Amino acid sequence: MQERSSVAELAASLRSELNRYSIGGKLPSSRALVERYRVSPVTVSRALAQLAAEGLVVTRPGAGAYRARPRTAEAVPGDTSWQEVALSAEGAGEVVPRSVDASGVLQSLAAPPPGVIELNGGYLHPSLQPERAMAAALARAGRRPGAWGRPPMEGLTELRDWFAREIGGSVTAADVLVAAGGQSALTTALRALAPPGAPVLVESPTYPGLLAIARASGCRPVPVPVDAEGVRPELLAAAFDATGARVFVCQPLFQNPTGAVLAPARRTEVLRIARAAGAFVIEDDYARALAHEDAGPLPATLAAEDHDGVVVHVRSLTKATSPSLRVGALAARGPVLDRLRAIQVVDSFFVPRPLQEAALELVGAPAWPRHLRTVAAELRHRRDVLAGALRRGLPALRLPHLPSGGYQLWVQLADGADDTDFTAAALRSGVAVAPGRPYFCAEPPAAYVRIGFAGVSGAVELGEAVQRLRSGLGPHA
């Protein structure tokens, strides 16, 4: 078989030979298949991924591929059709029935098949995670006196104090609750501030996880358009007037997915408009630790500039560390803090103390600022490599804004293109990107995809990804 042989041809050859191996038996190594069939490692990887998707083989990272156990006929399932009535009856009398649509979140959390380059994720690649520092912090935390005891329900005082200093302004530890990551904190905030059926103003486009939270809570997300300088204040004021909403959720710094930073003049306007409407602003400060090397001085948090208890601040350590370090914070002032605390206690009691102790050890170690500097330099480099490769290899794509923080590019497709078609074609080419449609809670104004650059091993893999996209989609995709 020559190098030009297709993935389909190799998959067919391997499929026809599977009976030679016992159930659970190991197939030849990728190197052996490359030499035997005279194909590239990428072709082998894609062919094995296709067989894995068909349930014929099981791939184990670092170990190889094995013949899978044949699927046996499943037992006849019971009749669960009654659940449709039971689940829908809950929302029969509600203005906005509750629904749980996790598709947008799952697209960013799902691991791609073997051999596919992951540009749809939202976490740092293991090579960028401070694994040694985290391991050392966890070991030190485990030896702390009382580390395995019950923590204060609000969180460790020292950790709350650290979060308060990071948030800035006059925020103190007394204003902070330790939360189990940003998603949990956002869920608590929305449940505290917006009753079922209430409208919730959101940026458009915005993070799909937020839209999922709102809809699962029975709230109605209402879009407010974002441009290169963040949310547009005149449209925000109009949305408050038209809907009577009492909550606006925003990401003022490196907005996901656009990467926009809320302009200085707009920051004051957003707070003024919300205060006049008697509304809260949930500030999701998810990417402050993901500023690029060329970002310059970062603006203060909205919470630091708020003196009237308008802002409920959300942040997390997860994005800058590891998906499994799910430690974040909620900060608020006034009676709303008691409601946030009550909801969090009912939902989860508290964040496990060993995890809080480990987070405290990590952010207090000399390795922490070094890690942030490394991430800042690497994210800037990857952003530039990816943006340059897209402009050269796929000139039909448009980059409305080059962000100075975060981990993604928000890319507009050529006129007439469809984001779901583009995403499917990209996956067939061996690249996973995120379709733009789940980022809108109303009709998208144009077709977009979100292309991440933090979840790969480095710049070389980004270049390979764009080459695959160009080969599979063509330069005019």
Side-chain angles (χ1 to χ4, degrees):
M1 184 177 293
Q2 299 299 317
E3 176 67 29
R4 64 178 179 273
S5 299
S6 68
V7 172
E9 290 172 339
L10 177 57
S13 297
L14 296 176
R15 195 182 295 111
S16 67
E17 296 180 359
L18 277 179
N19 287 334
R20 297 181 182 180
Y21 307 97
S22 60
I23 302 300
K26 186 175 181 180
L27 275 64
S29 67
S30 294
R31 179 177 297 179
L33 293 176
V34 166
E35 294 175 355
R36 177 180 173 185
Y37 291 100
R38 298 181 185 179
V39 294
S40 71
V42 171
T43 300
V44 170
S45 179
R46 294 182 187 176
L48 290 174
Q50 183 172 322
L51 295 184
E54 295 171 7
L56 299 177
V57 302
V58 175
T59 57
R60 300 172 187 167
Y66 301 79
R67 184 181 176 188
R69 184 175 299 278
R71 296 172 178 170
T72 57
E74 297 181 358
V76 177
D79 181 8
T80 59
S81 59
W82 64 271
Q83 292 185 2
E84 295 184 39
V85 178
L87 293 174
S88 61
E90 174 191 16
E94 296 181 2
V95 177
V96 182
R98 304 185 188 201
S99 63
V100 182
D101 180 6
S103 57
V105 181
L106 290 174
Q107 284 171 345
S108 63
L109 290 178
V116 173
I117 298 177
E118 182 179 1
L119 301 186
N120 63 329
Y123 297 109
L124 299 179
H125 187 268
S127 63
L128 276 178
Q129 295 175 20
E131 290 187 341
R132 294 179 63 181
M134 288 190 294
L138 191 60
R140 292 194 301 271
R143 295 192 296 268
R144 282 189 169 198
W148 296 92
R150 186 179 71 183
M153 288 183 294
E154 297 85 354
L156 297 179
T157 301
E158 300 93 329
L159 186 57
R160 292 161 61 205
D161 185 62
W162 181 82
F163 274 120
R165 292 195 303 271
E166 290 291 301
I167 297 168
S170 58
V171 175
T172 69
D175 304 319
V176 176
L177 303 173
V178 176
Q183 186 77 358
S184 176
L186 281 173
T187 301
T188 297
L190 267 187
R191 287 185 58 200
L193 302 177
V200 174
L201 305 188
V202 300
E203 295 171 315
S204 182
T206 193
Y207 164 55
L210 168 62
L211 300 179
I213 292 169
R215 289 167 177 149
S217 301
C219 297
R220 177 167 54 91
V222 178
V224 183
V226 169
D227 61 21
E229 295 187 335
V231 70
R232 294 174 55 184
E234 74 280 8
L235 297 181
L236 178 64
F240 273 126
D241 290 341
T243 64
R246 292 295 178 265
V247 180
F248 170 50
V249 188
C250 64
Q251 295 174 325
L253 188 64
F254 312 133
Q255 197 261 356
N256 182 8
T258 66
V261 176
L262 188 61
R266 294 188 182 186
R267 294 165 59 86
T268 304
E269 278 292 281
V270 166
L271 293 178
R272 182 191 64 77
I273 291 168
R275 182 69 184 88
F280 290 96
V281 174
I282 300 177
E283 178 187 23
D284 181 9
D285 198 25
Y286 82 103
R288 188 164 292 267
L290 300 179
H292 299 169
E293 195 175 41
D294 59 349
L298 300 183
T301 64
L302 291 182
E305 299 178 0
D306 168 41
H307 305 289
D308 299 320
V310 171
V311 176
V312 173
H313 182 90
V314 172
R315 67 167 48 207
S316 172
L317 284 170
T318 306
K319 291 295 186 185
T321 55
S322 160
S324 291
L325 188 61
R326 305 208 63 77
V327 176
L330 278 161
R333 291 175 176 146
V336 69
L337 183 61
D338 292 330
R339 183 179 292 187
L340 291 167
R341 180 189 296 108
I343 290 175
Q344 183 165 281
V345 168
V346 168
D347 283 349
S348 57
F349 288 2
F350 45 76
V351 177
R353 182 161 188 157
L355 204 56
Q356 293 191 54
E357 297 277 10
L360 193 56
E361 287 280 356
L362 178 65
V363 298
W368 179 245
R370 291 199 299 268
H371 165 66
L372 295 182
R373 289 193 296 270
T374 298
V375 169
E378 184 62 23
L379 289 183
R380 175 192 180 182
H381 176 57
R382 294 181 179 203
R383 175 205 66 192
D384 292 343
V385 167
L386 178 58
L390 289 174
R391 285 166 176 155
R392 292 188 301 271
L394 294 164
L397 303 183
R398 295 191 285 274
L399 296 175
H401 175 69
L402 196 65
S404 56
Y407 51 81
Q408 76 278 335
L409 296 180
W410 186 236
V411 180
Q412 185 175 351
L413 304 184
D415 293 339
D418 180 85
D419 62 320
T420 54
D421 291 343
F422 183 98
T423 302
L427 190 58
R428 290 194 297 270
S429 302
V431 181
V433 300
R437 199 162 308 185
Y439 291 79
F440 294 92
C441 65
E443 190 70 21
Y448 291 86
V449 292
R450 196 191 74 165
I451 304 181
F453 47 81
V456 296
S457 60
V460 172
E461 199 169 9
L462 290 173
E464 167 65 18
V466 175
Q467 289 180 10
R468 291 187 188 183
L469 290 174
R470 180 180 171 87
S471 299
L473 298 163
H476 304 295

